[in-house]
Structures are given as structure tokens and as C-alpha cells.
Amino acid sequence: MVPELSVVIPMYNEEDVLPLLVERLRPLLDGMGVTYEVVAVDDGSRDLTPALLHRYHREWPALRVLRLRANAGHQAAISAGLSSARGDYVVTLDADLQDPPEVIVEMLEAARRDNVDVVYGVRNDRSTDSWFKRVSARSFYSFIRLMSGTSAHADAGDFRLMSRATVDAVNNLPEHNRVLRFVVPALGFPSDTVQYKREERAAGSTKYPLLKMLRLSVDSLTGISIAPLRLASFAGFFGALLAVLLIVYTLVARAQGHTVAGWTSTVAIVAGVGAVQLVCVGILGEYIGRMYAQLQGRPTYFIAYDSLTESSPKHGPTDTPLPATPREQLIETHVVPMPNDGAPVTQPSLHEGVDRTA
């Protein structure tokens, strides 16, 4: 049966926050009165996240575990979840509980009431974020809107609800390394917003340090707009114009018997033109790199395991479970009877006293 709602949650090393997420999300979805599935995408975690997911999957049939064969990144994990989600509406939600799951109820109501395809979660209170993060985020979103003409919200991240038509459109896009917070607004589907207060991370540590944020910014800019290429062209034309004027000046000065005063100005001009050239070459290199990756056609992720198909006799080469990681040796199993047919089922559980700092 196709569920009415799918909740896609990318996860990477979230063993600390996962119990809190399940405790908060399950009663909420059970009380919404809709059929649903929760697609938990394990992005190659190296802690006890895979074991915890399988344990909760035994206890919570609506929880679907999707495990990637290797760490592919946050955006790729969301894309994997979108390609596997079956719901009429799909919500993407991070596992850190900074975006409150309770807002999902408002999102679904807004989508049905206003008959829109996308409902963005917009943060109206970001006091839990640092001053630098708030200012840099607003400046970057303003720059993206100026360069690309998209209507991406400055305070909207990856917490959104999408209709099946929107999800199918995103899944059919051929591009790799896409940043969904800019790709979805660029589609231009009817949308609405729901505001909420951004909370502090419930547990664990952030998976977006400064270097990853910079990489995400570059992917966002080069993936949504060709304006940097035009800026490079304008800078090249401007540099060429300055060079022509300089040549004319030197020829006139030589004809009049004047000499060029000093070498400082020459060095400064050469250095300035060289800097412009390096910037332009760097911008061109980013786009050429994206074209090269696109021509290679390599998938951004590989699905190693899907709990939805674990009982199916038709397993593909990417549907088999991964071998146990060293941390999974800390997990023991015990047998519990199932209420349906009484057949014993092996259920993983955590050792008591496990040193989680190991």
C-alpha cells in the first residue's frame, strides 16, 4: 500500500540523538491519522547508528532502513531517500532535532489547504545559531538570489514538504551534486511557508563544519547559476581594455619622449591582471569539473541495503547488507517471539556499559 506521507531522514553517526528522535517522532506520526513511512538513510555511519536503526525497525514497522554502501554526503543521502520514498507527500528532515518534527503537521495541513506542491520550513528565530552563521547565511542567500534569480528563502534549509509531482521532478533531474535547497525553488512549483523556531542540536555534534559548508556553497553557486561565468567574461574584457589603454599610453609617451615613471605601477598592473586571470581560470575550472563529473555518469550514492526489500527473493548486487563494522561487534542479539505467527526473530541490542568514546 502506498503511504500518504514519507519522512526522509539522512543520518551519519547519529547514535546519540537517534533514540530521542524516535521517541519524539513516532507518537507524532501515529497521531496524525495518515498512513506513513519513515525512510532513515544511513549515510555510511561508523558508530552504532546502523544497529540502532535495525533494532527500531523491529519495533516500529513503519521505519524503513536504507543504508548506503559508503558515505556519500548529506545532499546525496537526501536524494537517495527521495528516490526510494513512496508517499504522496514527502518530508525531508534532519536527525538532529534542530527542526522540530511537530511542524510536519502544519506543513501537511498547508499543502492540502492551499493546494501547493512545496511547503518550506522557514526559521523565524535563529538565536541558537552563532552570529557569524546567521550573517553569513543571509549574505550568501542574498548573493544566490542575485546571481540566479531563484526565490530561495534565506532561513529555509532542507526541512520541507514536497508533493509526489515535485519529488518525481527532482528524481528525474540528470545533474549530480545537486543542492536541493536551491534546486527545489528553481523548479517554480506552487509553494507556501511554515515558520518555526530553530532549536539547538538535541545530542551529538554537527556534521557540517566550515570546510563542508564552503564546499556546499561552491556546489550551490555553480549548480544553480552561470552568472560566475559571465562575471569571469566581464572581468576578462575589463582586463583586456585596461591592457589596451596601457599600450596606447606607453606608445604615446614614447613618441613624446617621456619615460614610464618607475616600475611599481607596472608590477601592480601585472599583478592585478594576473589575479583577475587566476580568478577566471578558477571559476572556469569549477564548471569544467562539474561537466567532467556529469560526463562520467557515476552515481552519487550506492544503496547497500533496504529493509523494504529484505524479504524479497529478487536481491540485486546493491541490495545486500554490508559486512559488520568493528563497532557492530559490540552488539549482541537475543530471540523474541513475534505476535503474528510466534516465529522467533533475532533482535539486536546494545551491550550494557559500552564505552561510546572508543
Side-chain angles (χ1 to χ4, degrees):
M1 180 180 65
V2 176
E4 298 174 65
L5 178 67
S6 294
V7 181
V8 174
I9 309 176
M11 299 181 183
Y12 179 67
N13 294 343
E14 298 288 4
E15 64 176 5
D16 295 326
V17 77
L18 185 53
L20 302 176
L21 174 66
V22 173
E23 180 182 357
R24 190 167 165 182
L25 183 61
R26 183 175 183 178
L28 171 71
L29 296 178
D30 287 342
M32 288 181 62
V34 298
T35 57
Y36 70 89
E37 66 173 356
V38 177
V39 183
V41 184
D42 174 27
D43 188 20
S45 298
R46 298 180 179 274
D47 61 359
L48 293 177
T49 299
L52 287 171
L53 285 175
H54 282 286
R55 189 188 77 176
Y56 288 125
H57 170 64
R58 301 285 188 185
E59 303 170 354
W60 188 10
L63 177 63
R64 179 179 169 191
V65 179
L66 195 71
R67 191 174 185 191
L68 305 187
R69 191 164 293 278
N71 178 251
H74 181 254
Q75 296 298 309
I78 296 178
S79 296
L82 292 180
S83 65
S84 303
R86 302 172 297 156
D88 296 328
Y89 291 96
V90 180
V91 174
T92 54
L93 172 70
D94 288 341
D96 54 16
L97 291 176
Q98 287 190 282
D99 302 323
E102 291 76 13
V103 181
I104 296 176
V105 179
E106 300 179 46
M107 288 181 166
L108 186 58
E109 291 177 354
R112 290 174 170 174
R113 179 185 66 247
D114 301 332
N115 194 27
V116 295
D117 288 298
V118 186
V119 179
Y120 300 99
V122 177
R123 308 151 186 167
N124 59 4
D125 186 345
R126 301 188 62 168
S127 57
T128 57
D129 292 336
S130 65
W131 174 86
F132 174 77
K133 187 172 183 178
R134 293 196 301 268
V135 173
S136 60
R138 289 185 179 276
S139 301
F140 177 71
Y141 274 81
S142 299
F143 180 67
I144 286 290
R145 286 197 297 268
L146 177 64
M147 299 290 281
S148 64
T150 60
S151 57
H153 295 275
D155 294 313
D158 288 308
F159 186 27
R160 72 182 72 84
L161 178 142
M162 294 175 285
S163 66
R164 171 48 52 185
T166 307
V167 174
D168 290 341
V170 171
N171 290 336
N172 289 330
L173 293 175
E175 62 183 292
H176 298 289
N177 299 323
R178 57 195 178 199
V179 180
L180 293 170
R181 64 185 63 181
F182 298 111
V183 169
V184 175
L187 295 176
F189 287 10
S191 64
D192 201 350
T193 61
V194 171
Q195 296 186 346
Y196 66 94
K197 178 182 179 180
R198 183 170 173 83
E199 302 176 2
E200 294 184 358
R201 174 178 260 274
S205 58
T206 179
K207 305 306 183 295
Y208 260 119
L210 180 60
L211 289 179
K212 285 190 175 181
M213 289 297 296
L214 292 176
R215 180 70 256 180
L216 180 67
S217 300
V218 173
D219 286 340
S220 302
L221 181 59
T222 57
I224 201 66
S225 173
I226 63 171
L229 286 175
R230 292 173 179 166
L231 288 179
S233 300
F234 293 151
F237 288 137
F238 183 70
L241 178 61
L242 288 180
V244 170
L245 293 177
L246 179 61
I247 292 173
V248 172
Y249 169 74
T250 57
L251 293 176
V252 172
R254 181 176 180 180
Q256 294 178 351
H258 301 293
T259 58
V260 178
W263 55 270
T264 304
S265 58
T266 303
V267 173
I269 292 173
V270 171
V273 173
V276 172
Q277 289 177 335
L278 289 176
V279 171
C280 296
V281 170
I283 294 174
L284 292 173
E286 288 291 334
Y287 280 92
I288 292 173
R290 291 182 67 89
M291 292 171 60
Y292 176 68
Q294 187 74 22
L295 289 175
Q296 283 181 317
R298 296 177 182 175
T300 55
Y301 59 86
F302 292 93
I303 297 177
Y305 172 78
D306 187 348
S307 61
L308 184 67
T309 62
E310 63 181 343
S311 59
S312 173
K314 297 181 180 180
H315 276 273
T318 61
D319 292 331
T320 55
L322 286 175
T325 60
R327 292 296 301 273
E328 289 174 346
Q329 296 176 359
L330 300 174
I331 301 171
E332 63 182 4
T333 59
H334 62 273
V335 176
V336 296
M338 294 295 289
N340 295 332
D341 54 4
V345 175
T346 301
Q347 175 175 317
S349 62
L350 301 179
H351 273 303
E352 296 183 358
V354 171
D355 182 10
R356 293 180 178 269
T357 62

